[in-house]
Amino acid sequence: SFVRIAGLSGALAVSLGAYGAHVLGVDPEKSHLKNTFDTANRYHLVHSAALLAVPLARKPRLSGSLFVGGMLIFCGTTYYHSFTEDTTVRKYTPYGGMMLILAWLSLIL
């Protein structure tokens, strides 16, 4: 169920947040990567909480799938960039962002 996925995703977001604060936050030369990481982590946590509302939607499979897919693509590519400094996957980040926007809009169907 999407509530269980929300619980797992939220726990992962908090864990990654702690990791990022203690690993990326200590090197002043990588402050740009810390900002990138913080964006991924914020979106991850907010959309994990949004997943809790999915069972209340008229089309829960559509909304939940868009939220999960959007988080995986948007947050995943952004986390990857912040950990590796590799920008090749960032071209997919906007697709994840569009999926998150569509997920929110799907709640009004």
Side-chain angles (χ1 to χ4, degrees), residues 5 7 9 23 32 38-39 47 51-52 76 79 85 93 99-100 103 108:
I5 294 170
S9 182
V23 174
H32 66 288
D38 287 342
T39 298
H47 290 92
L51 271 177
L52 293 172
Y79 278 135
E85 299 185 51
T93 306
M99 288 178 76
L100 292 172
I108 63 174

Side-chain angles (χ1 to χ4, degrees), residues 36 40 70-84 86-96:
T36 301
M71 282 193 297
L72 285 172
I73 296 170
F74 180 85
C75 300
T77 58
T78 308
Y79 278 135
Y80 180 80
H81 172 235
S82 68
F83 288 135
T84 66
D86 180 7
T87 59
T88 57
V89 297
R90 288 305 297 260
K91 62 185 170 191
Y92 302 110
T93 306
Y95 297 110

Side-chain angles (χ1 to χ4, degrees), residues 2 4 9 33 35 54 68 94 101 106:
F2 287 111
R4 288 183 176 183
S9 182
L33 294 176
N35 291 336
V54 164
V68 171
I101 292 167
S106 73

